Amino acid sequence: MSVQRFWELVEAARVSAVDPADADSVGRRARELLDEMPVDEVAALARAEWELRARSYRVDLWGAAYLINGGCSDDGFEYFRGWLMAQGRDVFERAVADPDTLADVPAVREGLDLEAEDMFGVANSAYWDRTGHAPTDTAVYPRLGALWNFDDEDERRRRLPRLDAVVE
């Protein structure tokens, strides 16, 4: 239920953000909404957010972020996933299942740099600021899996054909 509640928070932030198309604006609005909630609800949302962060910690999604942003460090991948969360549940779920679906997202087609530091870890940060500690004891990412050379054009076209065609 808390994952559903996290997506409700994201949607509320998107609807009421100063600029719903700006993922950092959505992140700042989500933070304002979190600051109004009881600390136990923030903890539940932080745990749900962690689940989503772990689910999106995937090599194929990192490759998509690398292609879209013209490179992608460890931190850049986190901020890309923050941007992805700020797009809402539907875009997030489709991209985690198949990163090539990001070719359908208008912001990707526009060639924007897609990162949102304010959104990545927003619930965890809100909890930390209020309590001085993390909401969970076991925040460890799953094994990432074998990396592939994100700069290899042939490999990129094979793995992300639609996205490669849009981003070029």
Side-chain angles (χ1 to χ4, degrees):
M1 184 53 140
S2 57
V3 169
Q4 173 62 31
R5 180 68 183 107
F6 180 81
W7 288 122
E8 291 168 4
L9 167 74
V10 171
E11 188 56 31
R14 287 177 57 75
V15 168
S16 61
V18 172
D19 180 3
D22 175 24
D24 279 323
S25 179
V26 173
R28 286 188 294 276
R29 183 62 185 132
R31 176 57 190 257
E32 291 168 358
L33 294 170
L34 285 159
D35 287 343
E36 297 170 3
M37 294 179 185
V39 72
D40 60 328
E41 187 172 356
V42 175
L45 291 172
R47 286 188 293 276
E49 180 183 37
W50 173 256
E51 288 177 40
L52 296 171
R53 288 169 55 184
R55 281 188 46 224
S56 64
Y57 189 70
R58 300 170 44 110
V59 170
D60 54 353
L61 195 56
W62 199 336
Y66 188 94
L67 177 58
I68 290 166
N69 287 335
C72 189
S73 66
D74 294 356
D75 288 348
F77 185 45
E78 290 187 346
Y79 303 151
F80 173 80
R81 289 171 22 241
W83 170 85
L84 187 58
M85 284 184 210
Q87 304 313 296
R89 185 178 204 158
D90 185 50
V91 171
F92 179 89
E93 295 291 345
R94 283 186 292 131
V96 169
D98 178 6
D100 211 27
T101 63
L102 288 165
D104 300 328
V105 177
V108 172
R109 293 177 162 279
E110 292 169 19
L112 303 175
D113 207 24
L114 304 180
E115 295 184 348
E117 186 175 356
D118 288 341
M119 187 63 192
F120 187 80
V122 67
N124 189 67
S125 177
Y127 185 85
W128 182 274
D129 288 350
R130 288 170 69 181
T131 67
H133 57 86
T136 62
D137 298 330
T138 57
V140 177
Y141 281 133
R143 291 186 149 264
L144 188 57
L147 288 173
W148 48 279
N149 181 355
F150 299 147
D151 289 318
D152 182 326
E153 291 179 18
D154 292 334
E155 186 72 13
R156 189 176 65 225
R157 281 187 202 106
R158 187 179 70 72
R159 292 177 183 262
L160 302 166
R162 293 179 54 227
L163 192 56
D164 185 68
V166 166
V167 173
E168 284 193 73

